[in-house]
Amino acid sequence: MSLSLKPSRLRVYKDVISLILKYGSKADFTEALENSQFGFGIEDLDDIEPSEAAEHLAEDLEKRGPTFVKIGQLLSTRADLLPPSWLAGLQRLQDDVDSFDFEIIKETIEEDLGVRLSTAFDEFDETPLASASLGQVHRAVLRNSDKQVAVKVQRPDIRQRMMDELAGIADIAHFLEEHSDSARRYRLAAIAEEARKRILQELDYANEANNLNRLRDNLKKFPQLLIPSPIADYCGNRVLTMDFVAGTRITDLSGAVRVDLDGASLADELFHAYLKQVLVDGFFHADPHPGNVLLTRDHRVALIDLGMVGHISDRLRNLLLTLLVSISEDRGDDVAEAAMKIGRPKDDFNRRDFIADMADVVNSRAGASVDELQIGTTVMQVTDVCAKHSLIIPHEMFMLGKMLLNLDMVGRALDPNFRPDEAIQRYAAEIAQVRMKDTLTSGNLLSLLIDAKELFAETPQRINRVLENLSTNEFKVRVDAVDEKALLDGIEKIANRITVGLILGALIVGAAMMMQIESSFTLFGYPGIAMIFFLIASAGALLLAWQVLFGDDNSKSEK
C-alpha cells in the first residue's frame, strides 16, 4: 500500500518511525522477547521493576498525546508481544493531563445538550475533579434539585485528532506487514485496528451511558456493589452526566477504615460479580484499575468509568469457564486443551511442546503462597505461552487477563488473604447451572427442538424406504472415489517411462564402454557399433523428453 502525503499523516508517520528506530532495536527488549520464559514470573506486574528503556518509552508516548498513550495502554495488556519489564513500564502510563478552559466546557455542554449551562444546573464547579486525555469530570447540582452529579465532558476536537492519528498508525502497520516478516508475525495491523475500536468506544459517551445502565441491571443481585446511574436528559455524545459517587480509591484505604471493613465479604462479592459478567453475561467492565474502583462511605464498592467494556461470545464463555476452573485446580493438561479450543494454531504449532510448557506454568502455582496465587497473572502467562507456540488467541483473552490482573490488585487491597482460586471453585457450579438455564430458555433451544421434531417425524418414513429398497434388491451405494482406470493408466505410463529411461541409460553406458574397443568399422571416426548405440539412445532420449513435456498436455486438451 502507498502512504499518504497529507501533512497530518506525515507528522504521525514521523512520530511512529522515530519510536520504532529508537526502541525497536533495544538490546534488553529484543533479548527479553526471545528468551523470557512465559513472560511473567509468578509475581504481579506491580512487583516487576520496569526497564529504563520502557520508562523512557512511556514518557515519549505521553509527550505525543492521547492517541499514543492509549496505544501504550493497549500494549501493556499484550504479554504475547512484550516482556514483563516493558509491560510494567507501560502499565504505569498516566493519561492525567492539564485541564482545559472552563469556557470550552460550557460551550461543549450547551452544544451537546441544547440548553444553557445555568438552565441545566444550579451549581457547577469550574475546577475539575479529574482531568484525562479524553476529557475531564466536574461536580454539579441539577437544576431545582439537591441531587449531586458528576459531569464528564469530552475535550474539543479530540475525536477528529485521534481518528487522524489512528489512521496514520494503521497506514504504517499495513506498510510494515507488507515488507516485514516480523510485522506479519506480530499482526501489527490487527493491533492498530483493535486500538481504533477501543478508542472509538471510549469516545462515545452515549454508549458509556448505555453501558452503565446495562451493568447496573446485570449486577442488581449484588447489594454491596454500586454502579452510578446516568441522567438520561443530561447525556449526549460528548457529555455524560451520572450520579456523583463520593468514595476513596480501594488502594488508598487507611488502617482505621480497614478495621471497620468486612474486606473478605467485599472481595468475594466483587470477584463473584466479575465472574458473572465474564462467564454469564458476556459483558464486563474491562478496566477495574484502582482509580475506577472506589469504597463508598457506606462501605460499598463503586465501579465507575465504563468507557472500556469487553464482549464475549457464548462459545468463548463456555471455554473460559473450563479454562478458569482448570487453572484454579492446577490441571495443566486441561488448561492446554481449553486454550487450543480457544485459539487458532499456525502451521508451526507443536501440540506436545505446547502442552508441556502449559503444564510447567500451571504446576509452578503448586508451591505459591496466598499472595502469589493471582488468577490474572496466570491468565497472562497462558496468553504468553500461546503466543510463543504460534497459537493465535482472540483479543478478548488479553482484555480478560488485564482485567483479572487489576481485579487481583483490588481484591488484595480489600482482603490480603483472599484466594481467587477458591472463589472460582466455589461459584463454578452456580455459573454452569445459570448457563445451562439460559441455554434452555433461549431461542437456540427452540430452533434445536424444531429441528429435532422434524428429524423424529421423518425418521420412520426414511427407515421404511431403506428397508423396502433392501428387500427388492434396489439398495444402491454410490461412492465418489478415485477413478481406478485413470489411476492405473497413470501408473502404467510412469512405469513405461521409467523402463524406457533405464534402457536408454543402459545403451549410453554400453556405448561408452564399447568406445574403448578398437574396430575396423567406424562412424565419425569412432567405433561404429558404439556410435550406433549412442545415436539410438540420444534419439530415444529426445523422444522421451518431448513426450514428458508436451505429450501429457495434448492428451488433456483432447479430453
Side-chain angles (χ1 to χ4, degrees):
M1 64 166 291
S2 58
L3 299 177
S4 172
L5 296 180
K6 293 181 179 179
S8 60
R9 293 284 180 89
L10 292 176
R11 179 183 59 80
V12 177
Y13 298 161
K14 175 185 70 68
D15 286 341
V16 174
I17 292 172
S18 66
L19 290 172
I20 292 174
L21 292 177
K22 185 174 181 180
Y23 297 101
S25 59
K26 290 290 185 181
D28 58 342
F29 167 71
T30 54
E31 182 178 353
L33 187 60
E34 295 298 327
N35 300 326
S36 62
Q37 296 298 312
F38 318 129
F40 293 92
I42 200 70
E43 66 273 17
D44 186 87
L45 271 182
D46 278 349
D47 300 324
I48 296 175
E49 188 67 27
S51 68
E52 183 178 351
E55 292 180 332
H56 290 162
L57 173 60
E59 293 172 1
D60 282 342
L61 291 174
E62 288 172 345
K63 291 176 183 176
R64 285 165 172 79
T67 305
F68 288 87
V69 168
K70 294 297 180 184
I71 293 288
Q73 291 173 345
L74 170 63
L75 289 175
S76 73
T77 69
R78 299 299 298 266
D80 59 325
L81 299 178
L82 302 177
S85 60
W86 284 70
L87 296 176
L90 293 178
Q91 182 180 248
R92 297 168 195 181
L93 266 172
Q94 298 296 318
D95 59 2
D96 292 331
V97 296
D98 293 336
S99 60
F100 50 100
D101 191 74
F102 179 71
E103 288 303 317
I104 297 176
I105 291 285
K106 180 180 178 182
E107 181 181 345
T108 302
I109 292 175
E110 293 180 346
E111 286 181 0
D112 214 47
L113 301 185
V115 64
R116 292 177 61 86
L117 185 70
S118 58
T119 303
F121 303 99
D122 276 341
E123 298 178 20
F124 197 99
D125 290 350
E126 296 188 12
T127 303
L129 296 170
S131 182
S133 56
L134 300 186
Q136 59 191 43
V137 181
H138 292 255
R139 180 161 47 186
V141 177
L142 294 182
R143 184 74 174 177
N144 299 324
S145 168
D146 292 332
K147 186 177 182 62
Q148 291 194 56
V149 293
V151 184
K152 186 175 178 180
V153 185
Q154 195 169 110
R155 286 182 176 273
D157 303 323
I158 190 66
R159 175 186 290 269
Q160 188 59 50
R161 173 186 171 182
M162 296 186 81
M163 291 302 99
D164 289 343
E165 291 178 341
L166 286 168
I169 292 170
D171 288 348
I172 292 288
H174 283 99
F175 181 83
L176 291 175
E177 281 201 3
E178 289 178 1
H179 298 86
S180 168
D181 291 337
S182 296
R184 284 190 293 273
R185 175 187 173 193
Y186 293 116
R187 304 170 68 230
L188 295 186
I191 294 174
E193 176 61 18
E194 181 184 347
R196 187 187 71 84
K197 290 180 179 178
R198 283 205 200 178
I199 290 174
L200 276 176
Q201 189 181 84
E202 290 192 64
L203 286 169
D204 188 350
Y205 286 2
N207 183 61
E208 184 174 347
N210 292 332
N211 292 339
L212 286 167
N213 283 326
R214 183 175 177 182
L215 190 66
R216 286 181 68 252
D217 186 60
N218 289 346
L219 300 184
K220 59 187 177 184
K221 62 173 280 188
F222 298 96
Q224 297 185 94
L225 300 187
L226 172 65
I227 293 88
S229 299
I231 313 299
D233 293 338
Y234 292 78
C235 293
N237 291 326
R238 296 179 297 160
V239 176
L240 171 62
T241 304
M242 68 195 106
D243 294 340
F244 177 76
V245 178
T248 306
R249 286 168 51 120
I250 292 292
T251 51
D252 293 341
L253 299 179
S254 65
V257 172
R258 293 178 189 277
V259 170
D260 194 34
L261 182 68
D262 188 358
S265 176
L266 284 174
D268 185 74
E269 184 163 311
L270 181 64
F271 203 84
H272 186 191
Y274 270 90
L275 289 177
K276 179 181 183 295
Q277 291 177 59
V278 173
L279 302 175
V280 177
D281 304 325
F283 170 83
F284 64 94
H285 180 211
D287 195 22
H289 68 74
N292 290 338
V293 184
L294 308 178
L295 181 71
T296 65
R297 293 170 181 171
D298 59 352
H299 287 184
R300 289 191 292 170
V301 174
L303 304 178
I304 62 174
D305 192 356
L306 263 75
M308 186 183 298
V309 296
H311 299 271
I312 298 179
S313 67
D314 188 70
R315 174 183 176 275
L316 185 54
R317 276 176 259 166
N318 290 332
L319 295 173
L320 287 177
L321 175 58
T322 302
L323 180 78
L324 292 177
V325 172
S326 300
I327 289 174
S328 70
E329 296 177 352
D330 297 333
R331 292 186 278 113
D333 288 353
D334 291 339
V335 172
E337 291 292 338
M340 285 187 285
K341 292 177 182 178
I342 291 172
R344 175 170 57 84
K346 293 183 181 178
D347 293 338
D348 58 342
F349 177 74
N350 186 301
R351 177 187 176 91
R352 179 180 298 177
D353 291 346
F354 174 76
I355 293 176
D357 283 351
M358 192 66 77
D360 288 343
V361 167
V362 176
N363 292 339
S364 67
R365 295 164 49 85
S369 65
V370 173
D371 290 340
E372 296 169 336
L373 279 175
Q374 304 304 323
I375 196 72
T377 302
T378 305
V379 171
M380 294 294 272
Q381 288 176 315
V382 168
T383 64
D384 194 17
V385 175
C386 290
K388 289 180 182 298
H389 287 274
S390 301
L391 186 69
I392 301 174
I393 54 177
H395 70 88
E396 290 87 354
M397 277 285 290
F398 300 111
M399 292 184 70
L400 176 66
K402 182 63 181 294
M403 181 270 285
L404 289 171
L405 273 177
N406 284 321
L407 195 59
D408 285 339
M409 189 190 315
V410 172
R412 286 200 309 272
L414 290 170
D415 177 20
N417 296 316
F418 178 67
R419 298 179 67 98
D421 288 359
E422 293 180 356
I424 291 174
Q425 295 167 22
R426 188 162 54 249
Y427 295 117
E430 173 193 326
I431 289 171
Q433 289 176 359
V434 172
R435 287 202 49 73
M436 181 64 71
K437 180 181 178 181
D438 289 344
T439 300
L440 293 176
T441 57
S442 68
N444 292 335
L445 179 62
L446 179 60
S447 176
L448 179 63
L449 290 175
I450 292 173
D451 292 340
K453 174 182 176 296
E454 293 179 356
L455 173 65
F456 286 119
E458 296 179 7
T459 295
Q461 186 178 358
R462 292 173 178 173
I463 293 175
N464 284 335
R465 284 200 299 267
V466 172
L467 293 176
E468 287 175 4
N469 291 333
L470 283 173
S471 63
T472 58
N473 201 25
E474 295 179 356
F475 189 79
K476 297 179 181 179
V477 177
R478 185 173 64 187
V479 179
D480 187 10
V482 177
D483 187 341
E484 293 87 351
K485 185 178 184 304
L487 178 61
L488 292 174
D489 289 343
I491 293 174
E492 183 179 0
K493 185 183 293 184
I494 293 172
N496 289 341
R497 288 177 178 175
I498 292 174
T499 302
V500 171
L502 291 173
I503 293 173
L504 294 175
L507 286 173
I508 292 174
V509 172
M513 295 177 66
M514 293 178 67
M515 286 289 185
Q516 307 300 320
I517 302 174
E518 295 183 3
S519 172
S520 57
F521 172 58
T522 62
L523 194 63
F524 304 114
Y526 295 97
I529 301 297
M531 284 300 298
I532 290 173
F533 285 168
F534 182 77
L535 291 173
I536 291 173
S538 298
L542 291 173
L543 288 173
L544 181 60
W546 176 270
Q547 182 65 26
V548 171
L549 294 175
F550 304 106
D552 291 341
D553 292 338
N554 293 334
S555 62
K556 289 178 182 177
S557 61
E558 290 174 1
K559 291 178 181 179

